[in-house]
């Protein structure tokens, strides 16, 4: 659901966009830290926020880190 958001921010489209690892952090909702394979040996780390169910808001991309590798540790950011 956040792929169009990241493509708009990066100004390109991704043929490959596969989550390979994630961590969660409970706040007033949930932060998801997701390692995404975007093709070749390239990965991105995304921070996606899901609000509480009663707020009825869509998933939102809060921040991301590009130029990551498969070996880079997925950490909170």
């Amino acid at each position: 659901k956040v792929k169009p958001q990241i493509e708009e921010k990066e100004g390109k489209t991704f043929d490959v966009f596969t989550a390979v690892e994630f961590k969660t952090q409970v706040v007033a909702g949930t932060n998801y830290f997701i390692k995404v394979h975007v093709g070749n040996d390239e990965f991105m780390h995304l921070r996606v926020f899901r609000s509480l169910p009663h707020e009825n808001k869509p998933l939102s991309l809060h921040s991301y880190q590009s130029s990551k590798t498969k070996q880079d540790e997925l950490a909170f950011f």
Side-chain angles (χ1 to χ4, degrees):
K1 293 191 178 215
V2 298
K3 183 181 178 197
Q5 294 175 52
I6 197 77
E7 288 177 335
E8 183 179 334
K9 289 183 182 292
E10 284 287 295
K12 59 184 174 183
T13 58
F14 297 103
D15 294 331
V16 177
F17 199 82
T18 307
V20 296
E21 182 183 345
F22 77 96
K23 294 180 178 182
T24 60
Q25 176 187 42
V26 177
V27 289
T30 306
N31 281 322
Y32 292 90
F33 298 87
I34 308 166
K35 183 185 291 188
V36 178
H37 179 225
V38 294
N40 299 320
D41 292 328
E42 294 182 50
F43 289 79
M44 299 180 93
H45 292 181
L46 312 181
R47 187 174 92 186
V48 177
F49 179 73
R50 171 175 272 157
S51 62
L52 295 171
H54 72 276
E55 293 179 332
N56 200 26
K57 294 181 181 175
L59 289 175
S60 62
L61 176 68
H62 267 246
S63 58
Y64 68 97
Q65 298 172 336
S66 55
S67 302
K68 293 292 188 175
T69 68
K70 186 174 185 172
Q71 291 76 27
D72 286 336
E73 182 181 351
L74 182 60
F76 298 111
F77 61 93

